[in-house]
Amino acid sequence: MFPHDPTKRQSLLQFAAALGVLLTGSHVSDTPALKQPFASSEKREKADPTLLHRFENLLLESWTLLNCNQFPLAERLLMSFLPSLLAFPVEEKMARLASIGLRLQSVLAHHRLDLSQKLTVCQQAVTFAQHGHDHTILAAALVELANAYEFHGDVAKSLLTLQEALTVAPHTTPLIQSRIYSNNAVLLAQTGRKREAEWYIQYAQEIFPDTPHQDPRSVFADSSVYTLAYHAGLVALALGKLHQVSDAFTLYQQRPAQGTMPERLRLEIWNGHSKAAIQMNELEHYAALLTDSLSSAQMLGSKKRYQEAVVIFQQELPSTWRKHALLREVAATYGLQRGTL
């Protein structure tokens, strides 16, 4: 598959560099790591199909770099062409690609904890998806917007957005349907709607395809068995089913192999395991998970995953555990203090 072909990857990077010169008058190396969407004010003629195909390849490569744990490269490549793509007149193909690119930009912004930008970009991704008249792309954009609302603390808007995603779910692929249902399950469980949560997480598992990579847009979907496992674990935790938590967080092990797990998803699951370890009074296990999560998040460059681990330490850790030598050592190493990030 071409995303892993070094020759084609180099060709794409060279094309991105040339595109930056031709359309924006600057070289990729001069482009800031992140720009606001719609940065180019000059509107151009409608993009021809060949150029849109090249944009699509660049988007595929950008998402692949994200999943290969190369955040800076993914963002650098994305922002070398996304402003130029957004400068073209809006038509269906362009709008679909723009939505996919903006959604990736929102994911990268979130890992930098730029939540304000994430929300804005997610809203724009939904708008472009609506112009693109593609149910699958719209559903994916709505799921990411729901995530943005949730992390802003607006659970009501998050649920409403997921309800909108549910209305288009029957017209999307099973891969996206599963993500919609599992996201709904988590929020429903956390808001006390137990029976609905159980139904949605069960259906999300049943509908998830055994061969998701056969979906031609699986890279763009940002839906995986690893995210499904994370959501299943969170639902079990929220419903107090501690005996099911371990199997839920590791359900990907019972599925056909689906490639290397992206580090951002592994750490997400690890932070879920940390919550479970606290509830099951497994101090030593929690200490090991916390150490791995903090050090790995730093190496990955994800402030989001680091913050998640710190918040669990601050808000969920039993006060008696703080005196334990293992956790005192971790706290001293990483400067963890209750109430601060």
Side-chain angles (χ1 to χ4, degrees):
M1 187 175 178
F2 90 79
H4 306 292
D5 184 327
T7 302
K8 291 187 177 180
R9 174 169 292 175
Q10 183 61 31
S11 175
L12 284 170
L13 291 171
Q14 290 172 348
F15 173 71
L19 194 66
V21 173
L22 292 173
L23 296 183
T24 67
S26 62
H27 194 275
V28 171
S29 61
D30 301 322
T31 305
L34 186 66
K35 288 183 178 179
Q36 293 294 330
F38 306 104
S40 300
S41 59
E42 178 188 353
K43 289 293 180 180
R44 301 180 177 86
E45 296 294 328
K46 179 179 176 181
D48 66 73
T50 300
L51 182 58
L52 288 176
H53 180 68
R54 300 301 293 270
F55 278 130
E56 186 171 10
N57 285 345
L58 287 165
L59 281 169
L60 181 58
E61 182 65 15
S62 299
W63 276 97
T64 300
L65 286 169
L66 171 76
N67 289 326
C68 289
N69 311 320
Q70 300 298 318
F71 286 11
L73 281 176
E75 189 160 42
R76 194 69 169 172
L77 178 58
L78 176 69
M79 298 317 300
S80 71
F81 67 88
L82 183 59
S84 298
L85 172 61
L86 296 173
F88 284 102
V90 176
E91 48 84 26
E92 287 191 4
K93 177 68 172 180
M94 173 272 175
R96 292 194 290 269
L97 296 178
S99 179
I100 293 169
L102 288 166
R103 184 158 48 85
L104 174 55
Q105 185 183 0
S106 80
V107 171
L108 290 163
H110 201 166
H111 280 280
R112 289 194 318 278
L113 291 183
D114 191 342
L115 300 185
S116 177
Q117 184 184 65
K118 178 179 178 65
L119 180 58
T120 299
V121 174
C122 282
Q123 291 168 334
Q124 293 168 341
V126 169
T127 298
F128 273 107
Q130 290 167 337
H131 282 92
H133 299 104
D134 185 299
H135 292 299
T136 295
I137 291 175
L138 175 59
L142 287 168
V143 167
E144 201 61 48
L145 177 58
N147 287 340
Y149 283 132
E150 180 186 359
F151 283 102
H152 268 268
D154 197 335
V155 175
K157 278 190 176 180
S158 184
L159 280 169
L160 283 173
T161 304
L162 287 175
Q163 286 294 314
E164 186 176 352
L166 283 172
T167 64
V168 299
H171 308 289
T172 67
T173 65
L175 188 62
I176 291 295
Q177 288 181 45
S178 177
R179 179 67 190 271
I180 295 170
Y181 298 140
S182 69
N183 270 72
N184 267 281
V186 172
L187 278 187
L188 291 170
Q190 293 174 347
T191 53
R193 296 163 65 175
K194 177 179 177 180
R195 296 186 67 178
E196 293 170 276
E198 290 176 330
W199 186 90
Y200 275 117
I201 198 62
Q202 181 63 36
Y203 192 48
Q205 294 177 58
E206 291 175 0
I207 201 172
F208 191 90
D210 288 333
T211 54
H213 293 300
Q214 290 185 2
D215 184 328
R217 292 185 288 188
S218 61
V219 176
F220 296 148
D222 200 26
S223 176
S224 71
V225 70
Y226 307 115
T227 299
L228 176 60
Y230 175 63
H231 288 168
L234 290 185
V235 170
L237 275 175
L239 299 182
K241 297 184 175 183
L242 297 184
H243 62 289
Q244 296 180 4
V245 169
S246 180
D247 287 342
F249 277 132
T250 58
L251 71 81
Y252 58 87
Q253 296 176 352
Q254 282 73 55
R255 297 272 179 156
Q258 295 178 18
T260 303
M261 186 190 314
E263 185 71 350
R264 65 190 174 101
L265 302 184
R266 183 186 75 84
L267 292 178
E268 189 171 50
I269 292 174
W270 250 232
N271 286 333
H273 278 299
S274 293
K275 289 173 172 284
I278 292 172
Q279 291 195 28
M280 291 186 284
N281 200 33
E282 298 175 348
L283 186 150
E284 292 185 0
H285 186 205
Y286 168 73
L289 289 165
L290 175 62
T291 301
D292 184 13
S293 293
L294 293 173
S295 62
S296 297
Q298 286 183 332
M299 291 181 62
L300 180 62
S302 174
K303 293 182 179 180
K304 177 185 179 185
R305 293 290 178 255
Y306 191 91
Q307 183 198 49
E308 289 168 355
V310 172
V311 168
I312 293 169
F313 176 86
Q314 293 172 348
Q315 299 182 2
E316 301 185 30
L317 199 68
S319 58
T320 55
W321 284 22
R322 297 179 183 280
K323 300 176 183 179
H324 195 282
L326 280 175
L327 293 176
R328 287 170 63 90
E329 181 180 354
V330 176
T333 300
Y334 292 95
L336 305 183
Q337 295 180 354
R338 191 176 184 85
T340 61
L341 286 179

